[in-house]
Amino acid sequence: DQQVKQNSPSLSVQEGRISILNCDYTNSMFDYFLWYKKYPAEGPTFLISISSIKDKNEDGRFTVFLNKSAKHLSLHIVPSQPGDSAVYFCAASGTASGTYKYIFGTGTRLKVLA
Amino acid sequence: NAGVTQTPKFQVLKTGQSMTLQCAQDMNHNSMYWYRQDPGMGLRLIYYSASEGTTDKGEVPNGYNVSRLNKREFSLRLESAAPSQTSVYFCASSERSAGLIYGYTFGSGTRLTVV
């Protein structure tokens, strides 16, 4: 049972345009969410986080939106750059368990076209 | 800072062989994790250690054992490797609750092939 789902395996966007990556989750106990970026042959690197008490968090070109009622979060990248081409993973955690472990989605491969 | 160091980077095993994947972090983090990445499956948690002296199963623990040797080191052992364990393995660490906000620091991975 996949608790965190990224239904789009891949996405192509023109340089300078907005990239929108989506993520859905099923467990209403999740209250922290992260996005990671992964380049080939490297480990994932942390990008941005959001807690369930917020519906938006921004960091430069990256904004994460959280819709708790829909159990949906999205990552917006504006403007998209060729260096953003990577696989993006969303992840969710439920603090009620006290373990702070994250469940990851299957990833979306973003390709930014120059 | 080296961050999270994993060894080896690549390994080929024959079915039934055993091996240990090593992981060490130099950030004084309390929590450490082992994930595997497979095509179409994302990152799946194998085992984790919330703090020194404790280990717990994740989503896919079968066929693996772990040892939290000390605060720095967390090893993953395959006792009898199977082709289904062909994967890329990532070790990660975090400072417990701070990891919720700042995420984990991942190593660069071990690519394991079982033939």
Side-chain angles (χ1 to χ4, degrees), chain B residues 7-79:
Chain B
T7 55
K9 292 192 182 303
F10 301 94
Q11 184 71 49
V12 179
L13 287 179
K14 293 183 179 178
T15 298
Q17 285 185 317
S18 62
M19 80 161 293
T20 300
L21 282 64
Q22 306 287 354
C23 175
Q25 51 94 7
D26 62 2
M27 295 166 287
N28 204 35
H29 285 165
N30 282 306
S31 301
M32 298 185 74
Y33 312 83
W34 276 104
Y35 284 86
R36 59 179 288 176
Q37 184 192 10
D38 302 292
M41 302 295 288
L43 289 157
R44 292 182 294 169
L45 182 63
I46 305 171
Y47 270 94
Y48 64 101
S49 172
S51 59
E52 187 179 357
T54 69
T55 60
D56 285 288
K57 295 178 180 178
E59 302 166 80
V60 288
N62 291 345
Y64 305 95
N65 285 303
V66 290
S67 295
R68 183 74 184 266
L69 304 169
N70 47 55
K71 192 172 185 179
R72 289 187 65 245
E73 299 172 285
F74 188 38
S75 62
L76 178 72
R77 182 160 178 85
L78 287 70
E79 290 292 350

Side-chain angles (χ1 to χ4, degrees), chain A residues 4-11 19-23 34-39 44-48 61-62 74-91 104-112, chain B residues 37 42-43:
Chain A
V4 180
K5 302 176 185 179
Q6 294 176 257
N7 292 318
S8 297
S10 64
L11 175 69
S19 295
I20 300 176
L21 294 92
N22 294 303
C23 179
L34 302 175
W35 283 94
Y36 281 85
K37 179 167 70 173
K38 185 183 179 305
Y39 293 119
T45 55
F46 169 75
L47 201 53
I48 193 169
R61 296 186 297 113
F62 302 91
S74 60
L75 176 68
H76 293 209
I77 306 174
V78 184
S80 301
Q81 300 172 354
D84 296 329
S85 297
V87 177
Y88 289 79
F89 292 98
C90 65
F104 283 76
T106 52
T108 296
R109 184 178 302 276
L110 173 66
K111 188 171 184 179
V112 180
Chain B
Q37 184 192 10
L43 289 157

